[in-house]
Amino acid sequence: MTETKKIAVISGDGIGPEVVAEAEKIIKRTEEVFGLSFTTEHALFGGIAIDQKGTPLPEETLKVCKSADAVLLGAVGGPQWDNNPKELRPETGLLGIRKELGLFSNLRPAVIFDCLKDASTLKPEVLEGTDLMVVRELTGGIYFGEKFRREGANGEEAVDTCVYNVTEVERIVRQAFEIAQKRRKKLASVDKANVLETSRLWRETVNRIAPEYPDVELEHVLVDNCAMQLLRRPASFDVIVTENMFGDILSDEAAMLTGSIGMLASASMGEGSYGLYEPVHGSAPDIAGQGLANPIATILSVALMYRLTFGYAEAADAIERAVAEVLDAGHRTADIASNKSSALSTTQMGDLIAEAIRK
Ligand code: IPM
Ligand code: MN
């Protein structure tokens, strides 16, 4: 028996509770098969926390997260909170939890699943071999800079400031170099250094530390060009590192290359092995509560958690293998099924994957 680890579980809103329930099924199954041991503690976050506690990120939730080794998050948000003031929006909770837990690095892999090639809007020959990872800076830049309104010469103005210091750039870029070293050893640093001062600092910093990673091939790509190259030559990218807002936009683009956003997992990491893991997709309120959601992205988030936080590589591999096996056998949830009438429900998909997990 291994040491018992603690996972904070945040189901959130919309389809969050449904997909998280399947991920918990997978956690239980790996305890049985691999002799792992976890305690889970549930906490309120997002829209449901606004409704029940009057804030998207209750103190109690932060406490639960801080006392855990890792956090599993479903999804947050929904139309009923869209017109709320800033403090009462799920998104504000998301930014708060990232900052409070020091999660400065957001890893969003985009991989083409062979059996789902047809799901993409791009031609198969363009997609062939695409396997990239967007490393997005998550606690700085324009998201967290000073924001205010003021009276200007021509009436009301709004200001968002974008600030980066060298330390913030260095730590994320180092993580990206290290990730590239474990992959295909290519790093694209994305900025807008032809216009923005923060981008010039970013690029200088990248160039200063690049000699410490001589085995990694580095290219600088301007963000507008990167948006284009992702559609033109996606397979040529390995690791992409970029600042917060560029990363927000490019990681959505990269996810859509795969055509199967219901399949992609992500991790938000700080300095050590602590991490928050969540599907790339949102809370999909339109299909919530109907058993239609694809739980695979959340299940694969558990695999990512096992690998990055706990170092349980064998169990992580087994989860990923089980997902591949079930897909290869032709099982599909509605989002990725060509024949919707034979699609599996959320729990059926979770059951099949759980059963397929073995040593
Ligand atoms: C994401 C989301 C969030 C972001 C929003 C909901 C605040 O789009 O995780 O990518 O912009 O970071
Ligand atoms: Mn986003």
Side-chain angles (χ1 to χ4, degrees), residues 91 94-95 98 108 136 138 143 244 248 251-252 278:
E91 294 87 342
L94 213 45
L95 300 185
R98 290 170 182 169
R108 296 188 175 181
R136 167 188 175 191
L138 203 57
Y143 272 60
N244 204 344
D248 178 45
S251 61
D252 265 29
E278 62 182 315

